[in-house]
Amino acid sequence: MPESKRNRSAESRRRFLKRTAAAIAGLPLYTAAVARAAPARRESVLVVGAGLAGLVAAHRLREAGKRVTLIEARERPGGRVRTLRGFFDEGIYGELGAARVAETHEYVLHWINDLRLALVPFAPDSGSSVMAVGGKRARSDVAAGEKLVAGLHPDERNLPVPELLRKYVSGVPDELGAGDVNLADPRWRAYDRLTWPAWLASQGASPAAIRLIMLGGDSSEFSALFMLQQIMLHRDSRQYFKIDGGMDRLPRGIAASAGVPIRYNCRLTKLESTDREVRAYCLNGGHTDVIAADRAVLALPYSMLRKVALVSPFSPEKMEVIDRLTYFDATRFLLQTATRFWTIEGLNGSARTDGPADIWDMSFGQRGKTGLISLTTGDDRIEDQLIKLPDTGQTAFGVRLASAAFPAMTTQTGKSFLQIWGEDPFAGGAFSVFKPGEMTAWAETMGKSEGRIHFAGEHLSPWNGWMEGALWSGERVAQEIIAA
Ligand SMILES: Cc1cc2nc3c(=O)[nH]c(=O)nc-3n(C[C@H](O)[C@H](O)[C@H](O)COP(=O)(O)OP(=O)(O)OC[C@H]3O[C@@H](n4cnc5c(N)ncnc54)[C@H](O)[C@@H]3O)c2cc1C
């Protein structure tokens, strides 16, 4: 790395770490309250799911003196945080799930600090990204939009996509970006009535501008409120980072420090709850274990809870949310390339296309000559097509999507790996998303406890689809049980 660039990135890292320390100092962590509240009787709590939410809940409850049992259907902790190692040449590893940490994600930063993990920049601070629409591609500079789509309004021309977005969301109240916003408040209903593209159109955006704003992923059916909340939560996140050595170091670190043994390969299949106890039936290989506890935390996605036999059903409102919550069907391709050819062209390896595909250089910062392109795509139609294809056909599908942005992918791609999250037996989708009307209607029911059963997971937080949300909800549920 040239000296000037090394200094720049060292400087930006110093600034980042300084801000991180400040953020952590101001973080309203539940830890202190949890640690002080030593109960008179050692209540037992069963936590289901060793993803980030379940791990943090188990950790905090154990700290507070509870007798905690943690069960997990997989053979590893971390759920949707999964790092693929030992597969690609030159020791290059890739992320199949969570890949980025936003500078405003205070709960993630707290744990990274606590576990003494290091953050490195997610992407280079030089080089252009690419946009591809309708078979045309352009570097994402000011005039890219006009080169790719016809029909931008005069005041939309010459605006890079982030500016275009800012133009239309500038009137949205800041409060929507607060973690404790009350979405049951009737004032949010107007945003929840429309889909994201319909809301943008209602603000005066041209169809061409909407097309550009929506590049990278299919958000056409999402509630505008859902999209706007994500935008407002991340409006101050200018830099993104990744964990040096792989994202799974975070859940593995929390699992190691939680002080709670994890019972792996233990899948919750049936749940009974009375006013005195909870009984969980956990399928472990060929036999079923029955685990009794005073309370349970269900830290598994609602897409998975749907498959658990509930002997004592929850309230009709809760059952409706569990049955209907949508999980986005993201598919991640990891495509190893012979070289990092994009750097020679002055590109940074990232792109957004109408495939739709969200692409970036996952080999950035890793040693070696080969590259690793990450491509995330998603909608039901793509998933349906993919699962019918043989392995070679699936790779070809990913390469074709990537070549819309980087034509050299057709000759550069070697090894590839594919994770279809909708087909994952213990995730049932990538992350929770909301359609019009759901967020405001479900706001009070989503995470509410039902008798001795409590709920946690990214889906029950404002940060849907982020590790931050999973950690936040794990802390929240622990506090709820301690206060009960
Ligand atoms: C493609 C993709 C990209 C992402 N990108 C990012 C990103 O860049 N940055 C970011 O911060 N976040 C990202 N995320 C989101 C992040 O990974 C999740 O929000 C977070 O990991 C969810 O944690 P969780 O504990 O709520 O759920 P999970 O991680 O799903 O944990 C739930 C656990 O429950 C287990 N389980 C399921 N069913 C049962 C059962 N019946 N019995 C027992 N155990 C069961 C599962 O095996 C799992 O371990 C991404 C996710 C995906 C899929």
Side-chain angles (χ1 to χ4, degrees):
M1 195 192 291
E3 191 60 28
S4 59
K5 193 167 166 195
R6 193 162 51 224
N7 287 342
R8 256 207 322 278
S9 59
E11 175 54 28
S12 72
R13 187 168 154 70
R14 264 198 302 280
R15 266 190 280 123
F16 166 70
L17 291 174
K18 209 167 147 191
R19 268 203 310 276
T20 306
I24 289 164
L27 185 59
L29 274 181
Y30 294 123
T31 331
V34 169
R36 275 198 299 273
R41 180 182 163 270
R42 294 239 302 152
E43 192 179 36
S44 60
V45 184
L46 168 70
V47 178
V48 182
L52 288 174
L55 288 168
V56 164
H59 192 302
R60 295 297 183 223
L61 289 165
R62 201 266 307 151
E63 273 182 341
K66 308 286 180 189
R67 281 185 292 131
V68 181
T69 305
L70 175 53
I71 65 169
E72 166 56 49
R74 301 178 203 258
E75 293 173 341
R76 58 165 182 90
R80 283 170 276 168
V81 183
R82 182 178 169 205
T83 307
L84 181 69
R85 294 194 174 79
F87 179 82
F88 294 111
D89 296 337
E90 296 187 300
I92 287 184
Y93 56 85
E95 303 299 342
L96 293 168
R100 287 180 294 174
V101 175
E103 61 180 315
T104 51
H105 284 178
E106 297 180 346
Y107 286 85
V108 180
L109 296 178
H110 164 81
W111 278 104
I112 283 173
N113 203 39
D114 204 63
L115 297 168
R116 300 194 192 294
L117 299 173
L119 286 175
V120 291
F122 177 74
D125 54 10
S126 61
S128 308
S129 56
V130 169
M131 296 197 297
V133 187
K136 290 189 277 183
R137 60 192 284 266
R139 283 171 193 252
S140 314
D141 57 21
V142 277
E146 279 213 85
K147 284 183 208 152
L148 295 172
V149 291
L152 286 170
H153 294 329
D155 61 350
E156 293 173 336
R157 291 182 196 139
N158 293 328
L159 287 184
V161 176
E163 290 297 323
L164 206 50
L165 183 62
R166 218 163 289 142
K167 172 176 164 60
Y168 292 111
V169 304
S170 60
V172 176
D174 276 356
E175 212 183 313
L176 190 56
D180 59 356
V181 63
N182 174 16
L183 293 180
D185 187 325
R187 67 190 293 211
W188 303 117
R189 284 190 203 144
Y191 297 98
D192 202 21
R193 248 175 231 135
L194 297 174
T195 61
W196 176 228
W199 184 84
L200 285 167
S202 75
Q203 302 302 300
S206 66
I210 295 172
R211 217 169 157 198
L212 291 177
I213 289 172
M214 291 191 4
L215 285 181
D218 182 5
S219 50
S220 56
E221 290 183 9
F222 298 172
S223 157
L225 182 62
F226 170 67
M227 294 301 289
L228 289 168
Q229 186 179 35
Q230 294 306 312
I231 291 165
M232 296 309 282
L233 281 167
H234 296 98
R235 66 193 183 285
D236 296 328
S237 296
R238 283 179 189 84
Q239 281 184 290
Y240 286 83
F241 296 85
K242 54 187 178 183
I243 297 173
D244 197 15
M247 300 296 276
D248 67 349
R249 297 183 72 192
L250 179 62
R252 287 183 193 281
I254 302 176
S257 69
V260 178
I262 304 176
R263 289 169 68 171
Y264 290 110
N265 299 309
C266 191
R267 179 162 70 87
L268 178 73
T269 52
K270 189 166 125 181
L271 191 68
E272 276 179 82
S273 173
T274 66
D275 53 0
R276 297 171 65 185
E277 68 166 14
V278 175
R279 288 170 84 79
Y281 295 76
C282 148
L283 189 65
N284 189 344
H287 62 94
T288 299
D289 293 336
V290 183
I291 303 166
D294 294 323
R295 292 178 185 278
V297 173
L298 301 184
L300 68 171
Y302 279 177
S303 46
M304 290 293 105
L305 185 52
R306 263 169 227 162
K307 300 187 178 176
V308 175
L310 299 171
V311 178
S312 9
F314 303 129
S315 63
E317 298 79 28
K318 180 72 100 186
M319 293 306 290
E320 185 197 344
V321 182
I322 294 169
D323 288 343
R324 287 192 36 206
L325 181 63
T326 306
Y327 279 79
F328 188 60
D329 286 326
T331 294
R332 168 81 45 85
F333 287 89
L334 296 180
L335 305 167
Q336 190 158 34
T337 52
T339 63
R340 299 179 190 182
F341 61 88
W342 50 90
T343 56
I344 299 157
E345 299 169 32
L347 300 174
N348 63 16
S350 71
R352 284 175 173 254
T353 81
D354 60 354
D358 189 6
I359 300 174
W360 63 81
D361 171 8
M362 209 170 251
S363 49
F364 172 65
Q366 294 193 52
R367 285 195 192 149
K369 289 198 181 74
T370 58
L372 189 65
I373 285 292
S374 160
L375 182 148
T376 312
T377 184
D379 65 33
D380 307 350
R381 283 166 298 127
I382 289 181
E383 190 177 302
D384 288 347
Q385 286 180 57
L386 275 172
I387 52 181
K388 288 183 196 135
L389 292 172
D391 287 1
T392 47
Q394 291 179 334
T395 303
F397 192 103
V399 171
R400 199 165 54 246
L401 280 178
S403 64
F406 302 119
M409 289 299 291
T410 49
T411 52
Q412 283 268 341
T413 306
K415 284 187 179 169
S416 68
F417 195 95
L418 171 69
Q419 169 81 13
I420 305 176
W421 280 100
E423 290 293 295
D424 184 287
F426 303 120
F431 40 79
S432 53
V433 294
F434 294 84
K435 294 187 174 155
E438 294 177 342
M439 286 182 100
T440 46
W442 295 346
E444 284 178 348
T445 315
M446 283 292 295
K448 200 170 169 191
S449 61
E450 297 256 336
R452 294 178 167 273
I453 314 271
H454 303 256
F455 302 87
E458 58 81 24
H459 52 297
L460 306 176
S461 81
W463 292 270
N464 298 99
W466 293 94
M467 298 187 294
E468 179 77 352
L471 295 173
W472 177 91
S473 82
E475 299 275 5
R476 188 205 63 80
V477 82
Q479 198 196 41
E480 180 179 274
I481 290 175
I482 289 155

